[in-house]
Amino acid sequence: MSEDLFKKIISHSKEYGFVFPSSEIYDGLASVYDYGQNGVLLVNNIKEYWWKSMVQMHENIVGIDSAIFMHPKVWKASGHVDAFNDPLIDNKDSKKRYRADVLIEEHIAKIQDKIDKEVDKAAKRFENFDKTMFLTTNPRVVEYAEKIKTIEARFKNALENNDLDDLRQIIIDLEIVCPVSGSKNWTEVRQFNLMFSTQIGSLAEDSDKIYLRPETAQGIFVNFLNVLNTSRQRIPFGIAQIGKAFRNEIVARQFIFRMREFEQMEMQFFIKPGTQKEFYEYWKSQRMAWHQRLGISKEKYKFHDHIKTAHYADAAVDIEFEFPFGFKELEGIHSRTDFDLTQHQNLSGKKLQYFDPELNESYVPYVVETSVGVSRLFLSVLTGAYQVEAMPNNEERVVLKIHPTLAPYKVAILPLVKKDGLPEKAKEIFDSLKLDFYAQYDEKDSIGKRYRRQDAIGTPFCVTIDHQTLEDHQVTIRHRDTMEQTRIPIADLPATIAKHTSWNNLLV
Ligand code: ATP
């Protein structure tokens, strides 16, 4: 995977109306992005895929939409005021700021890369290659693995004890250099709270400090009782929500992977204490399968257990995706115990419990959470879809092979020429389809150029209207991925497009 591919995806996103830097005419705002005319359609489809699979397809999950602003005590109870920190470190020469934990994690990933390379090399060299045996007997690989184990143990210890001095010392001992200056001239490590704050109230004197929510989950916890009392849900059941979250990220790079304003799709599943392991495993496998239905190579996904679980969790795993800059977190699945509800119960003085008729007793439910960022999913879809293919005459086409159900536009209607009644016929077809499918009409430039434009935004079907159409009421339909062209009756168009772009293909 390469820098080069990443740059190409970023510039393609801009050139074809998927993602624009925020306030670009003022040179942009760091780590804030806008979705363009095609991007917003893809975003909406991604959200719909998630919402349908969570809320519509599960009788025991309901959705809500809570406000971004919440009572400041929410963030005290949740632990965000005291503990939602990242350890940051500056390089004195480049004046660049980094997350100390990320510097160490990247160092570990580099050693892991070396192991993977040795494995690849050996697998090519020996027939009947036994990977497990190789990992335990090859001296170089064993040495690398030992190194990782030692670093991870020390790293975990430093994080758990909030030992900022040792975090810095690990960076020094591993001789990690600043990628910009190349120097090892590091400052102390400091904790930095990631929440944005503002004031509520009309007068400055009597205004109160409130926060822009850093996660949507708390909006679900504080509504637990409301949903329980107004729905017919009984444990186990879930509450899902899609909404904006804000974090003042220290390392704000990597395009839309890490933004300061982003959207989360979170689901909290309320369960009986003691059943958390079972539901944690259940949601782990459900969520992995959900991603893998998008048609992107399964090898691009893997689980990554957390070295240190967050203050609220007794188990946590990431689904990582191989972005152009390596495997990184796409989604988190956390077993949150009864931490949040208990904290809110204590601070609010309101009972947040469930009466279990079978046990004939009340308890604070446990929670398993699934949490995924819309923009990370968007970037995974683009990364999996972006392909450059060689064409005859030394030409190439850039095609986004997005799952047809998620594609921004489903069909483009193209009259072969701009005369002889073809545009009129094409418009008629366009009008008959546009209510049911996002459709584009395009009559400008050669048919080849128009195909390329649709390939570049991932439109699964191009329909061409030619002179013969006026006589036999048939059109040519071109498939994006294979470029295969077939002739079908106009009357068959809706069913053909629907078959390939239906939610059935993802949800059933
Ligand atoms: P990271 O370690 O990458 O900062 P995190 O572990 O803090 O992520 P969570 O708090 O578990 O992330 O948030 C759940 C999900 O929300 C993540 O898996 C990710 O998809 C998304 N997310 C978190 N922070 C951001 C961000 N700054 N920009 C975009 N998406 C984000």
Side-chain angles (χ1 to χ4, degrees):
M1 281 293 200
S2 67
E3 277 285 292
D4 195 35
L5 171 67
F6 191 34
K7 279 194 193 133
K8 280 186 185 156
I9 290 175
I10 295 174
S11 66
H12 189 88
S13 298
K14 187 170 165 212
E15 189 179 345
Y16 287 94
F18 282 90
V19 181
F20 304 130
S22 159
S23 332
E24 200 186 3
I25 56 170
Y26 294 100
D27 297 332
L29 182 64
S31 285
V32 186
Y33 289 90
D34 300 334
Y35 290 109
Q37 67 278 16
N38 294 316
V40 69
L41 296 181
L42 178 56
V43 161
N44 289 345
N45 292 339
I46 283 173
K47 291 198 279 196
E48 201 172 342
Y49 176 36
W50 188 85
W51 189 266
K52 276 182 184 294
S53 68
M54 283 294 180
V55 179
Q56 196 173 347
M57 301 299 283
H58 283 93
E59 285 164 60
N60 61 349
I61 300 180
V62 295
I64 62 162
D65 185 10
S66 69
I68 288 169
F69 293 140
M70 300 180 76
H71 195 287
K73 279 190 183 165
V74 167
W75 305 111
K76 188 75 194 155
S78 68
H80 283 80
V81 172
D82 298 318
F84 194 52
N85 301 319
D86 275 345
L88 65 84
I89 189 165
D90 294 310
N91 183 268
K92 290 183 194 162
D93 299 317
S94 66
K95 309 268 183 280
K96 290 274 173 212
R97 180 161 288 176
Y98 299 91
R99 263 171 65 175
D101 55 334
V102 171
L103 284 179
I104 298 168
E105 273 167 10
E106 285 177 352
H107 186 84
I108 295 171
K110 272 188 201 149
I111 306 176
Q112 183 61 46
D113 265 0
K114 288 187 190 165
I115 296 180
D116 296 345
K117 277 203 186 112
E118 293 290 335
V119 170
D120 280 352
K121 250 192 343 207
K124 277 190 198 129
R125 214 162 350 120
F126 305 112
E127 248 175 69
N128 302 331
F129 173 66
D130 181 340
K131 187 174 168 188
T132 321
M133 172 89 120
F134 182 77
L135 287 176
T136 47
T137 53
N138 179 283
R140 201 175 304 164
V141 165
V142 170
E143 193 191 320
Y144 288 145
E146 280 301 319
K147 224 184 228 172
I148 290 181
K149 234 163 91 188
T150 315
I151 301 169
E152 279 186 345
R154 188 172 165 199
F155 182 36
K156 183 169 186 251
N157 189 52
L159 288 175
E160 277 174 358
N161 296 317
N162 202 12
D163 187 343
L164 301 183
D165 290 340
D166 199 44
L167 268 188
R168 176 172 189 269
Q169 201 53 48
I170 296 174
I171 291 172
I172 308 271
D173 293 349
L174 295 176
E175 304 193 340
I176 295 175
V177 298
C178 164
V180 177
S181 68
S183 92
K184 297 179 223 160
N185 197 4
W186 298 108
T187 61
E188 299 304 302
V189 175
R190 277 167 298 145
Q191 290 289 22
F192 176 79
N193 193 290
L194 300 183
M195 282 199 293
F196 284 102
S197 62
T198 184
Q199 273 90 36
I200 199 162
S202 50
L203 293 171
E205 305 90 72
D206 63 11
S207 63
D208 276 325
K209 181 171 168 182
I210 56 163
Y211 298 98
L212 273 69
R213 67 178 177 200
E215 62 173 26
T216 56
Q218 298 305 324
I220 293 178
F221 292 124
V222 299
N223 277 299
F224 165 71
L225 265 196
N226 284 335
V227 172
L228 186 66
N229 292 338
T230 56
S231 69
R232 303 201 43 82
Q233 296 297 338
R234 291 293 165 258
I235 272 175
F237 77 95
I239 305 179
Q241 164 158 239
I242 300 178
K244 289 260 168 152
F246 303 83
R247 295 182 187 180
N248 199 0
E249 298 281 3
I250 301 165
V251 186
R253 277 177 234 131
Q254 295 172 324
F255 191 41
I256 56 172
F257 177 82
R258 190 178 299 287
M259 300 203 285
R260 294 199 162 110
E261 173 181 342
F262 58 100
E263 270 183 302
Q264 286 185 315
M265 304 192 282
E266 297 199 299
M267 194 278 298
Q268 312 293 323
F269 205 66
F270 298 92
I271 57 176
K272 192 160 96 183
T275 60
Q276 65 268 33
K277 245 194 148 37
E278 171 197 330
F279 283 108
Y280 176 66
E281 292 305 328
Y282 171 80
W283 282 110
K284 249 178 92 169
S285 67
Q286 285 285 311
R287 295 305 301 150
M288 183 59 107
W290 184 89
H291 287 285
Q292 293 187 341
R293 284 205 288 275
L294 288 174
I296 300 167
S297 155
K298 291 199 161 111
E299 266 131 51
K300 289 199 171 291
Y301 300 88
K302 68 177 187 197
F303 286 118
H304 172 80
D305 286 309
H306 282 203
I307 289 187
K308 178 203 172 212
T309 50
H311 59 275
Y312 50 75
D314 74 353
V317 67
D318 295 336
I319 294 176
E320 291 193 338
F321 180 80
E322 193 176 16
F323 291 100
F325 38 84
F327 273 100
K328 289 272 173 320
E329 174 175 345
L330 173 60
E331 166 152 5
I333 295 130
H334 309 123
S335 172
R336 290 182 84 126
T337 69
D338 58 356
F339 175 84
D340 303 85
L341 288 180
T342 303
Q343 287 288 104
H344 288 306
Q345 182 168 270
N346 292 344
L347 207 65
S348 68
K350 305 277 177 347
K351 258 195 169 180
L352 298 179
Q353 301 192 354
Y354 172 78
F355 177 74
D356 190 325
E358 277 167 32
L359 299 176
N360 202 23
E361 67 178 45
S362 295
Y363 55 76
V364 178
Y366 268 42
V367 170
V368 171
E369 162 187 82
T370 73
S371 174
V372 57
V374 173
S375 61
R376 289 197 188 173
L377 204 47
F378 186 101
L379 190 55
S380 75
V381 168
L382 279 191
T383 306
Y386 182 89
Q387 291 192 13
V388 182
E389 291 180 349
M391 299 283 287
N393 303 330
N394 276 341
E395 284 186 21
E396 54 183 31
R397 72 163 184 153
V398 177
V399 53
L400 293 187
K401 294 187 174 172
I402 302 174
H403 191 291
T405 308
L406 295 193
Y409 284 93
K410 308 303 181 206
V411 58
I413 309 296
L414 317 170
L416 189 62
V417 289
K418 239 189 326 184
K419 55 183 184 185
D420 305 335
L422 299 190
E424 288 75 10
K425 186 70 191 164
K427 285 242 174 73
E428 192 187 305
I429 297 174
F430 172 72
D431 284 337
S432 73
L433 293 172
K434 71 181 181 192
L435 178 66
D436 294 319
F437 308 101
Y438 272 93
Q440 284 200 339
Y441 173 84
D442 191 3
E443 58 178 29
K444 197 169 166 279
D445 298 326
S446 72
I447 194 76
K449 273 195 181 156
R450 282 181 276 166
Y451 284 157
R452 286 299 94 77
R453 276 205 288 272
Q454 296 302 328
D455 287 343
I457 63 168
T459 310
F461 295 109
C462 285
V463 168
T464 308
I465 287 84
D466 56 24
H467 291 93
Q468 213 185 320
T469 306
L470 303 180
E471 286 155 30
D472 65 4
H473 306 290
Q474 299 214 345
V475 287
T476 303
I477 185 162
R478 171 188 178 269
H479 295 250
R480 175 196 70 195
D481 297 352
T482 55
M483 292 188 284
E484 202 180 83
Q485 303 191 8
T486 43
R487 231 166 139 82
I488 64 166
I490 296 170
D492 290 354
L493 274 177
T496 307
I497 302 165
K499 186 174 147 219
H500 288 91
T501 62
S502 154
W503 287 106
N504 278 333
N505 304 335
L506 280 174
L507 294 170
V508 188

